[in-house]
Amino acid sequence: GAVVSQHPSRVICKSGTSVKIECRSLDFQATTMFWYRQFPKKSLMLMATSNEGSKATYEQGVEKDKFLINHASLTLSTLTVTSAHPEDSSFYICSARDYRESSGYTFGSGTRLTVV
Amino acid sequence: GIQVEQSPPDLILQEGANSTLRCNFSDSVNNLQWFHQNPWGQLINLFYIPSGTKQNGRLSATTVATERYSLLYISSSQTTDSGVYFCAVAGSGAGSYQLTFGKGTKLSVIP
């Protein structure tokens, strides 16, 4: 089945620094990828839709200058949390879909970001 | 946007018991998936089931699209079934292909 690889799985950074999270589709091409955020004991909230070769589409309330998304190839999307602050600490998870399969969306393993 | 409600929010089972988790959604869908989130956060895709019935071992799922609900059945539960189960849907309208998640059902299976 489709595999989505996400790195790093865990990162701790200092306030004011930037962190980049990678999401790769393995063995399939994904013109669209999705980035979600999950707070402790809460559900997943869609942050943005990453579109290969064009600008990302952000959900209402998500700061596009804070969460930079780049989808430069058909297998890689990156999420950069810029000038991170403690309130950005969260679990970030990406997803993509291999339309050759009838299995829906596949999710990466997630990245737990802690800003200190 | 489409609304997704899951019930119950919490469920405690004795090992070996059976359970049914429910997902109601507010509009027609072209995608419905059930996920199990393990303690490390990984979302495991259990079923892609916009309609019909599927079974995989001790798990099965049924979606009645015309009545806008889906059910996940867990039989002979094991402690490893513990975790949070999410239902996620995508509406059938134009541009509505992204998944919307319910709040989940937290399942605890005790020995």
Side-chain angles (χ1 to χ4, degrees):
Chain A
V3 177
V4 174
S5 175
Q6 186 173 342
H7 293 281
S9 58
R10 187 181 297 267
V11 59
I12 301 173
C13 70
K14 293 184 177 180
S15 286
T17 61
S18 296
V19 173
K20 181 184 285 188
I21 303 169
E22 292 188 349
C23 180
R24 294 181 184 272
S25 57
L26 303 185
D27 298 328
F28 71 98
Q29 295 180 337
T31 57
T32 303
M33 293 185 177
F34 300 93
W35 288 96
Y36 292 81
R37 182 174 182 176
Q38 185 179 30
F39 291 102
K41 301 187 187 302
K42 298 293 185 182
S43 186
L44 281 77
M45 298 297 295
L46 180 66
M47 297 175 64
T49 301
S50 174
N51 304 298
E52 188 271 333
S54 65
K55 292 183 179 180
T57 304
Y58 291 83
E59 295 300 300
Q60 191 172 6
V62 177
E63 299 177 60
K64 61 181 180 181
D65 295 329
K66 158 70 73 176
F67 300 101
L68 297 179
I69 291 173
N70 184 278
H71 195 153
S73 79
L74 288 171
T75 59
L76 174 64
S77 175
T78 61
L79 169 67
T80 301
V81 183
T82 63
S83 188
H85 292 285
E87 57 265 31
D88 299 324
S89 299
S90 194
F91 189 65
Y92 295 89
I93 190 166
C94 66
S95 78
R97 183 171 183 176
D98 184 354
Y99 284 88
R100 298 171 301 175
E101 300 181 357
S102 299
S103 56
Y105 289 92
T106 300
F107 283 75
S109 54
T111 297
R112 195 164 303 280
L113 171 64
T114 303
V115 185
V116 298
Chain B
I2 196 165
Q3 305 297 313
V4 183
E5 293 186 1
Q6 291 186 243
S7 60
D10 296 278
L11 185 60
I12 300 174
L13 294 177
Q14 200 79 37
E15 197 170 23
N18 304 326
S19 63
T20 300
L21 283 58
R22 187 177 180 100
C23 172
N24 293 332
F25 42 95
S26 62
D27 206 344
S28 56
V29 299
N30 60 18
N31 184 0
L32 188 148
Q33 292 180 246
W34 283 97
F35 296 94
H36 175 215
Q37 188 169 39
N38 65 24
W40 298 272
Q42 174 75 57
L43 277 174
I44 308 299
N45 185 13
L46 299 176
F47 293 103
Y48 166 73
I49 186 166
S51 64
T53 298
K54 290 185 178 179
Q55 180 160 5
N56 184 3
R58 296 182 296 106
L59 302 181
S60 63
T62 296
T63 297
V64 184
T66 53
E67 297 186 22
R68 299 182 183 170
Y69 73 89
S70 182
L71 303 174
L72 177 67
Y73 305 96
I74 304 175
S75 64
S76 304
S77 58
Q78 301 176 357
T79 55
T80 52
D81 295 331
S82 296
V84 182
Y85 290 80
F86 287 106
C87 169
V89 305
S92 57
S96 57
Y97 46 86
Q98 60 265 47
L99 290 178
T100 298
F101 280 76
K103 293 185 176 180
T105 292
K106 183 179 179 181
L107 175 65
S108 301
V109 181
I110 55 177

